[in-house]
Amino acid sequence: YVRWQNSIAGFRASIEFSIGDSLVASGFLSYLGAFDTSYRAQIVEGWLNELKDNTIPFTENYDFAKFLAKPTDVRQWNIDGLPADNFSTENGVIVSRSLRWPLMIDPQGQANKWVRNM
């Protein structure tokens, strides 16, 4: 019974924070694909500060990849050849959630291998 109560509390918090989390995720998907990790983090931090200033609820330790990708999908991507680092996982989310295939500059061939194995 206690476990169910904890799950219900977690779901309620997720629903409450979904507005801000969705707003940041949509901006990330739309605008941040072309940038490196440090610039992405800087921009997301600025967006989260704006949400806080405007009292829009969001998850405290917001993580783009955790918000939009299931752990089982990420694991499958890793099995298919996507590197396990956070930057690659974010790029995987962008590729899987986009309506079009993005331009991938891939000198090592990792993205090419991953896309072919998807």
Side-chain angles (χ1 to χ4, degrees), residues 21-33 43-44 47 62 64:
D21 292 352
S22 297
L23 188 60
V24 174
S26 63
F28 197 110
L29 272 173
S30 299
Y31 300 112
L32 298 184
I43 295 298
V44 168
W47 289 344
Y62 177 80
F64 171 73

Side-chain angles (χ1 to χ4, degrees), residues 29-117:
L29 272 173
S30 299
Y31 300 112
L32 298 184
F35 301 109
D36 65 354
T37 305
S38 60
Y39 189 70
R40 286 178 180 180
Q42 181 183 352
I43 295 298
V44 168
E45 183 181 337
W47 289 344
L48 294 176
N49 288 334
E50 287 293 323
L51 292 177
K52 188 180 291 183
D53 292 345
N54 291 294
T55 62
I56 298 172
F58 63 92
T59 304
E60 271 305 309
N61 294 319
Y62 177 80
D63 186 333
F64 171 73
K66 288 182 182 174
F67 181 68
L68 284 181
K70 293 185 256 180
T72 53
D73 290 343
V74 173
R75 186 68 192 133
Q76 185 60 49
W77 297 342
N78 297 143
I79 291 168
D80 290 341
L82 186 71
D85 62 290
N86 193 40
F87 184 66
S88 297
T89 303
E90 289 174 351
N91 288 339
V93 172
I94 292 169
V95 168
S96 67
R97 295 289 183 164
S98 298
L99 295 178
R100 299 182 195 184
W101 288 102
L103 171 64
M104 292 186 272
I105 300 170
D106 185 28
Q108 296 175 336
Q110 294 171 324
N112 189 20
K113 176 184 172 191
W114 173 63
V115 169
R116 287 175 188 245
N117 289 331

